[in-house]
Amino acid sequence: MQSVSDFMKENREKIIGLEKLLTSIKAIAPEGGGDGESEKCQALEKWLKSEGFTNIERYEAPDKRVSSGVRPSLVVTIPGKNGDVKGESKVWVMAHMDVVPTGDLKLWNTNPFECVEKDGRLYGRGVEDNQQGLCSAALAGLYYIKNNIVPNLTVKLLFVADEENGSEYGLNYLLHNYDLFHKEDLILIPDGGDPEGKTIEIAEKNILWLKIHVQGQQTHGSRPDSGANACLAASDLSLRLHNLEKVFNKTDDLFEPNYSTFQPTQRLKNVDSINIIPGEDTFCMDCRILPCYSLASVLKEVDSIIKAVENEHKVKIDYSCPQKSESPASPVSAPVAQKLAQALKKVHNIDAKFIGIGGGTVGAELRREGIDAVVWSSLDDQAHQPNEYCIVDNLIKDAETLVEFFK
């Protein structure tokens, strides 16, 4: 049996080759003008089989918008000593195959879909988000396969579709149509982290986006008395909603910032001239709320504030929620959190730091189902940027951690 470090050195070029293969295939969702993940999934499955992985299952979510008609996800199983049966804990590592569009190509120094290796880095769209996590999981699994090692717990490598656009055809499809995940499972998502690989994300702020439409009465700029200024009402409302930071004012040092935020953001065009008092105005709020508060309690306050503004400004206000998400935290004591922290300490002498984030991950989908999940990786956070890169040593380092995590 090879040592882990020798195995990683021997297979370094092989895993770089997988990064290059996957980068060359445009796995972009229809929302971004792409044709989905089918071609990339097929190439990945072929590579896995060629390297000795035999227990591979494909789950396909129907999607008429793509040429294949489906959005595939792969589950690769490495049976453990405890067996692959319901009721027994399993270790999952979940990475996603889809990538975001390139954006302005003039901002790229290389072809985004041709992985370029330079100075220990791999450049290309998707090399970090999320192929680093995918490849580190595959490399860790390969260590067990090539050395004929049976892990204590059954290991499941999950490579999903549609993470970048809401997971309707990826994780959510699996959650709602198959009995794959259970409360005793340990689920790690290598899709966020820090350059040292020390932060383990166990919680997310609740997300509430509001798109608010104010209907007043348009009039001439010189006669505000003859109309109802929708812009004025909207401005007043945005400030009152921002002041909810003083109402929902608890703090939690797990997060940065450590408080709930209610921020006015996008504002849509209203009138074409300075001397027109708008009869309509639309603006948006991005609210990131500590998980100790329910979104129902927040929306109750929003409705109360809206009613007051309507009465004061003689306008009508309606709103929608383009995004609304809430989930409980995974506790620091959760087996998956502690097992990962112990692996980091043993392999790299890293003292893990548990954190919460203001953004959203697929971890929230699992936590809503009562399944603990953590998000972790060693990376420079290049997601969605031009000239996205992955540091090869980070990929190898993460694979070494996962080998220990699988034990």
Side-chain angles (χ1 to χ4, degrees):
M1 182 175 65
Q2 280 182 297
S3 70
V4 176
S5 59
D6 286 345
F7 180 85
M8 296 300 164
K9 290 176 184 176
E10 182 178 299
N11 288 276
R12 184 183 181 96
E13 292 305 314
K14 178 177 290 184
I15 210 64
I16 289 174
L18 179 59
E19 275 269 29
K20 291 181 177 180
L21 169 65
L22 298 179
T23 305
S24 70
I25 304 170
K26 299 180 181 180
I28 297 173
E31 291 88 342
D35 196 36
E37 305 84 357
S38 287
E39 185 181 352
K40 187 171 182 176
C41 181
Q42 184 176 355
L44 175 59
E45 185 173 4
K46 182 179 179 180
W47 185 92
L48 291 165
K49 288 179 177 178
S50 72
E51 292 299 330
F53 292 93
T54 56
N55 194 332
I56 304 174
E57 299 169 284
R58 184 189 287 235
Y59 297 86
E60 297 179 333
D63 187 350
K64 295 179 181 178
R65 300 173 300 168
V66 297
S67 61
S68 67
V70 296
R71 308 289 293 280
S73 295
L74 290 180
V75 176
V76 183
T77 301
I78 305 172
K81 295 175 183 176
N82 68 334
D84 186 10
V85 295
K86 187 173 181 178
E88 292 290 338
S89 297
K90 300 172 185 63
V91 175
W92 291 82
V93 178
M94 183 175 70
H96 64 87
M97 293 182 288
D98 58 320
V99 302
V100 296
T102 60
D104 187 353
L105 288 173
K106 288 182 284 198
L107 299 176
W108 286 80
N109 298 326
T110 61
N111 180 349
F113 295 106
E114 181 180 340
C115 181
V116 174
E117 184 177 2
K118 182 179 180 182
D119 299 327
R121 295 180 176 182
L122 303 175
Y123 291 87
R125 175 53 84 224
V127 291
E128 184 191 82
D129 181 26
N130 187 218
Q131 288 166 202
Q132 177 180 321
L134 188 160
C135 290
S136 63
L139 184 56
L142 197 63
Y143 174 79
Y144 280 81
I145 295 295
K146 294 297 186 183
N147 286 284
N148 296 310
I149 302 172
V150 178
N152 289 322
L153 303 180
T154 292
V155 172
K156 300 274 190 177
L157 309 181
L158 171 57
F159 307 125
V160 293
D162 194 35
E163 189 274 345
E164 297 289 3
N165 288 278
S167 295
E168 178 182 353
Y169 302 93
L171 178 60
N172 284 337
Y173 179 80
L174 298 179
L175 282 168
H176 299 149
N177 291 278
Y178 300 96
D179 186 28
L180 294 176
F181 312 101
H182 305 101
K183 292 184 179 181
E184 65 271 11
D185 291 345
L186 288 68
I187 303 181
L188 187 157
I189 303 162
D191 195 18
D194 68 282
E196 297 178 67
K198 68 183 295 185
T199 55
I200 300 175
E201 185 257 286
I202 59 172
E204 299 175 12
K205 288 183 178 179
N206 296 332
I207 300 175
L208 178 64
W209 288 1
L210 301 173
K211 185 176 182 180
I212 301 169
H213 174 252
V214 180
Q215 180 70 56
Q217 183 177 340
Q218 182 174 308
T219 187
H220 193 280
S222 67
R223 289 297 309 272
D225 57 308
S226 65
N229 192 330
C231 181
L232 182 61
S235 299
D236 185 12
L237 178 58
S238 67
L239 289 173
R240 295 192 197 199
L241 292 176
H242 171 61
N243 282 336
L244 286 176
E245 293 184 2
K246 299 176 181 178
V247 176
F248 298 95
N249 58 2
K250 291 182 181 178
T251 60
D252 186 341
D253 289 338
L254 196 65
F255 297 91
E256 186 178 336
N258 67 351
Y259 54 90
S260 299
T261 59
F262 295 79
Q263 293 291 313
T265 55
Q266 185 181 31
R267 192 155 205 160
L268 276 59
K269 180 181 177 181
N270 47 29
V271 292
D272 295 316
S273 176
I274 294 175
N275 64 345
I276 300 174
I277 287 178
E280 291 186 82
D281 202 82
T282 301
F283 72 99
C284 299
M285 298 284 299
D286 186 338
C287 313
R288 308 290 171 129
I289 303 151
L290 293 178
C292 61
Y293 296 114
S294 72
L295 292 186
S297 66
V298 172
L299 288 170
K300 184 177 179 180
E301 288 293 327
V302 169
D303 290 339
S304 177
I305 292 171
I306 284 176
K307 186 174 181 179
V309 171
E310 284 181 323
N311 291 335
E312 185 170 331
H313 292 273
K314 310 304 180 189
V315 297
K316 291 293 182 182
I317 300 171
D318 60 82
Y319 68 89
S320 61
C321 301
Q323 187 171 174
K324 188 167 68 169
S325 174
E326 59 185 322
S327 62
S330 293
V332 171
S333 60
V336 62
Q338 288 302 309
K339 188 174 177 64
L340 177 56
Q342 290 162 11
L344 287 169
K345 184 66 175 179
K346 182 173 181 179
V347 178
H348 301 295
N349 197 31
I350 291 174
D351 293 315
K353 177 183 178 182
F354 296 100
I355 66 166
I357 62 170
T361 75
V362 290
E365 310 293 343
L366 292 158
R367 294 175 189 138
R368 272 193 289 274
E369 299 294 324
I371 302 170
D372 290 324
V374 298
V375 179
W376 163 88
S377 196
S378 306
L379 44 75
D380 284 0
D381 193 15
Q382 290 290 301
H384 304 190
Q385 296 186 34
N387 302 307
E388 177 183 351
Y389 65 81
C390 157
I391 298 175
V392 179
D393 284 347
N394 281 346
L395 191 162
I396 300 298
K397 174 184 172 184
D398 287 359
E400 291 172 341
T401 303
L402 291 178
V403 168
E404 180 65 26
F405 182 68
F406 291 166
K407 287 183 179 178

